[in-house]
Amino acid sequence: MILSHIVAASENDVIGVNNDLPWDIPEDLKFFREKTKGKALIMGRKTFESVGHPLPKRLNVVVSRQKDYHPEGAVVVPSVDEAIQICESKISEYGDEIFIIGGGQIFRDTINMVDIIYLTRIHKKYDGDIKYPNVNPLLFEQIERRDRKEPVPFSFLTYKRKNTF
Ligand SMILES: NC(=O)c1ccc[n+]([C@@H]2O[C@H](COP(=O)([O-])OP(=O)(O)OC[C@H]3O[C@@H](n4cnc5c(N)ncnc54)[C@H](OP(=O)(O)O)[C@@H]3O)[C@@H](O)[C@H]2O)c1
């Protein structure tokens, strides 16, 4: 099983504002769609509500402490551990890479567990209320970088957890 983050963050680590994304970058949304198509996704309840609907052709696992929260098209679980267990039990259907897609709370709780981080780094500062944690260069190495210029300068970065043995 491979556990991955997929996230877009500004130069000052902002990922969200008022429960929405601070930017509109179509190529990044396309990257997200292609990368996660057919896969198992884990997300916090606020991210699920921000998207507004289950992401099609994917397993949508939503983490929430609310016992009476049962949105259509999603599996709701009370902890990240249970979310991972459900995704692991469905590897034959959705593949062995599990994508954690946010938001801030869920990223913070899982950055110590992930193997891969797909980070779209937008080379501009934004105001926002939700941030992505620091990617520790002692723990993660950058294995890929693809630069883009439109509609703002940004880079598709891939980080892999270093083998610490
Ligand atoms: N730029 C990006 O790549 C990106 C990606 C995703 C999201 N975002 C942005 O991030 C923002 C949302 O992030 P957020 O931090 O506010 O919320 P979030 O992480 O999406 O969701 C938080 C909710 O998840 C549940 N939760 C979190 N940790 C839990 C735990 N350990 N156990 C059980 N339940 C848990 C709780 O739901 P209940 O309150 O229901 O208990 C909590 O209120 C939005 O602005 C969104 O647009 C950005």
Side-chain angles (χ1 to χ4, degrees), residues 51-89:
V51 175
H53 55 82
L55 286 153
K57 302 193 178 96
R58 298 154 179 85
L59 175 65
N60 287 248
V61 181
V62 176
V63 183
S64 169
R65 296 187 181 90
Q66 299 175 50
K67 290 192 171 60
D68 54 353
Y69 187 65
H70 304 296
E72 225 175 274
V75 181
V76 180
V77 290
S79 70
V80 171
D81 285 349
E82 280 175 69
I84 293 171
Q85 274 171 31
I86 291 210
C87 295
E88 269 194 297
S89 74

Side-chain angles (χ1 to χ4, degrees), residues 123 142-148 154-158:
H123 303 297
Q142 191 183 299
I143 56 166
E144 197 183 351
R145 173 178 180 138
R146 292 181 292 126
D147 295 330
R148 297 288 186 265
F154 68 98
S155 304
F156 291 114
L157 307 176
T158 305

